[in-house]
Each structure stands twice: as C-alpha cells, then as structure tokens.
Amino acid sequence: MNQKYNPGKDWTVRELLEWTEGYFRRQQIPSARLDAEILLAKVMGVDRLGLLTTEFEELVDDVTRAAFRDLVKRRGKKEPVAYLTGGKEFYSLPFEVTPAVLTPRPETEHLVDEALALIRELPRGRLRILDLGTGSGNISVSLAVNAPASEITAVDISPEALEVARRNAENNGVAERISFLEGDLFDALPPGGAPFDLIVSNPPYIASGEEEDLMEDVRLFEPRIALIDSRSSDGNGLGFFHAICQGLEDWLSESGAVVVETGESQAANVGQLFEARGLRDVSITRDYAKIPRVVRARREKEANSPRRT
C-alpha cells in the first residue's frame, strides 16, 4: 500500500482503520473512513454495524489482514466499493452489484418514491410497469417489493446486466412478477403487446463531452454503455429521453404515467419533451443535493374513453 505499512507487525482493528483512512485520504477518496469500515467489515464477515460494535483493540489475523490489504489496494486505485464488496443497499433492500451494472445511487431512490406515488394515483387493479434500462434491477425490484399489485417488464441491452437483475429479483423474492427482456428500449418488447400503466427509466444521460469530468470511480470502472448517451447527435445527453418519448404513443396506456431520472441540467428540457408529447401534470423532484433530478408526467385520457378497472 505504501512503504509505511508494516505487514510484519500485529494490527488491531483500530490501527487498520486509522491507517487505511489516512491512506484513502492521501488518494483523495472523499469517503475515506466509511470505505475503510465497509471493506474491513467485509473481510471480517460482519456488516458495518457489527464492525463498529467489535472490540477495536482486537487483533486481526493474518489471513483477514491479507484479504483486507488487497481490497484497500484496489480501492486506492479508485475501484468502486460496491464492486469490491459485491453488493449495495438500495431502498432498504440488498442488491448484488458487479462491473456489468451501475452502482445504485441514492438519488435514484427519488425515482422510486415518485413511481410509487404515481402508482397510488393510477386506477386500481394489477398495474403493468415497464423499466427501460434496468441494470442491476434496483428500480424494478424495489417497485415489485413495495407495489405487490404490479407486473413488471424489465428491459436492458446488456445480457450480463440482466443476469444480475434476475438474481436480485430472486434474492428479494419478487422474480415471479418481473419479466426480463434483452433489447434496446422498446425494441425488446413483443410487437402488438399491451401498453403499460407506468414507464420508468434511469437511462444513460451523460453527454459524451462530459465523460472526462466524471469521478475516476465512475469513468474508469462503471459500464460506459449505462452512463454515456450514445444517441444524441448534438451532445446534450437527451438522446435516450427523445427515444423514450417516441415510444410513449404505442406503449403508454391512456391514463398512464412516466417517470425518469435526468442529469443535473436536463430536468426542465425533459419536462418540455413530455409536454410536447401531450403529457400533463409534469413535475420535477430535486435530489438530496437539491439538484433537479426526477421528472414525472401523466398521459391525457382520451375523451369518452372508459376508465380501466
């Protein structure tokens, strides 16, 4: 890790945490203490709370310390903690995370909040939900757990991501209510299929010109296909939102709703795209950092159309 680390001495829990925190700070890792605790808890076979209730003067055995040292080296090179531990909590649920998928972000919990709020507003009955670009399945699984009267179709272009999402659905007990389809957005859906009551998406929205501005954890390790907007011709990051809007006519039910996560400066533009498609009740939710992050809207019900029951 560096020349000051002495592998020959006996190390206590406290000493390892303090040394690792300092090392991470020198590597300019902002969550230095938290990352040290998570990684040490991982190799000790406990959760972080279990680590914090451990006797800090307890000696750490050689095998555990060697495993910890390997993880610390990798984190020092900016590999995301979730890839090192193989998991991440999202919406109070456990999720497997691999380099095939994005690490679930706290701000995406706002998307789930808004989706669940919309579900409460939609006509009662079994709801059909479409998740475009499901990744780890964190959105689909969270909705399935919290909205049991729902059937969800989760789409992703990456077969590796879909395998992770399937395992997460199984591990959280909702696999029987989520169908996983491989393909590019709406192209994955069978022709002539029934429309959906709710469409959700956290699509790639980083403009190609902004890639170098990403944190190293993200830029060097997370899947580019899930981050960078490859559809936008003018580099504004709105390409996938245009594609989603184009599919709403065929795939959003007459009283259906849509909710998406957007980039830092995109929410107002995405709201305008929805309005141009005739959607109503467009609203924007800010994330924990007060950044406009989630856009939701409803489809106008056609005149004299019967209410779905």
Side-chain angles (χ1 to χ4, degrees):
M1 294 187 284
N2 73 27
Q3 68 277 11
K4 295 182 180 180
Y5 177 77
N6 180 4
K9 75 178 291 293
D10 292 330
W11 289 78
T12 66
V13 170
R14 182 188 306 279
E15 289 172 329
L16 282 178
L17 289 176
E18 290 177 350
W19 188 94
T20 304
E21 179 182 3
Y23 171 71
F24 283 165
R25 290 189 187 282
R26 292 192 295 274
Q27 300 304 113
Q28 299 183 323
I29 294 174
S31 53
R33 180 68 180 202
L34 175 62
D35 290 0
E37 291 173 351
I38 291 174
L39 295 181
L40 187 54
K42 171 69 176 179
V43 298
M44 291 181 67
V46 297
D47 59 19
R48 181 167 169 256
L49 178 60
L51 174 71
L52 296 179
T53 58
T54 298
E55 173 53 57
F56 270 32
E57 301 310 317
E58 175 184 328
L59 291 176
V60 179
D61 65 77
D62 293 345
V63 173
T64 300
R65 196 169 73 246
F68 179 61
R69 187 183 183 196
D70 177 64
L71 294 183
V72 170
K73 284 182 178 179
R74 292 166 63 186
R75 181 61 184 134
K77 296 177 181 178
K78 306 300 172 59
E79 188 169 348
V81 170
Y83 293 166
L84 299 176
T85 63
K88 177 80 172 181
E89 183 180 284
F90 178 85
Y91 222 76
S92 300
L93 298 170
F95 285 89
E96 175 188 343
V97 177
T98 78
V101 300
L102 292 181
T103 301
R105 270 62 164 174
E107 54 264 31
T108 306
E109 293 189 349
H110 292 291
L111 186 154
V112 176
D113 286 338
E114 292 301 312
L116 291 172
L118 283 167
I119 287 171
R120 291 190 290 270
E121 297 172 8
L122 291 170
R124 293 176 179 249
R126 185 159 292 276
L127 296 175
R128 285 173 46 80
I129 300 174
L130 174 63
D131 177 13
L132 295 171
T134 194
S136 66
N138 58 308
I139 296 172
S140 287
V141 170
S142 298
L143 291 178
V145 168
N146 290 278
S150 63
E151 294 177 348
I152 301 173
T153 298
V155 170
D156 204 287
I157 199 169
S158 165
E160 294 82 9
L162 285 175
E163 285 304 312
V164 176
R166 285 190 184 96
R167 291 196 294 270
N168 281 324
E170 291 169 358
N171 293 338
N172 283 283
V174 292
E176 73 283 357
R177 289 193 289 112
I178 305 178
S179 300
F180 295 95
L181 298 179
E182 180 183 341
D184 186 9
L185 299 180
F186 299 102
D187 291 344
L189 303 175
F196 294 88
D197 304 293
L198 177 63
I199 296 176
V200 299
S201 184
N202 177 18
Y205 53 68
I206 304 297
S208 56
E210 298 174 354
E211 186 172 358
E212 290 303 314
D213 297 329
L214 296 172
M215 294 177 61
E216 288 183 276
D217 313 48
V218 177
R219 177 168 51 84
L220 298 178
F221 292 96
E222 299 206 66
R224 190 178 189 278
I225 193 174
L227 287 166
I228 308 302
D229 174 23
S230 60
R231 293 175 177 264
S232 176
S233 58
D234 55 8
N236 61 9
L238 298 176
F240 277 87
F241 299 110
H242 281 284
I244 290 170
C245 283
Q246 290 170 5
L248 295 181
E249 182 65 29
D250 293 329
W251 292 106
L252 187 62
S253 64
E254 63 179 22
S255 296
V258 58
V259 56
V260 296
E261 180 177 326
T262 70
E264 183 169 340
S265 61
Q266 297 171 334
N269 289 329
V270 172
Q272 291 171 4
L273 291 177
F274 286 159
E275 289 174 342
R277 289 283 169 173
L279 301 186
R280 60 183 174 86
D281 297 339
V282 176
S283 65
I284 296 173
T285 300
R286 295 178 180 269
D287 63 17
Y288 299 111
K290 306 303 180 184
I291 295 170
R293 182 65 66 184
V294 175
V295 183
R296 56 178 270 187
R298 295 281 298 273
R299 187 169 188 177
E300 288 281 8
K301 186 177 180 180
E302 296 179 7
N304 301 321
S305 293
R307 184 177 178 85
R308 185 178 61 80
T309 59

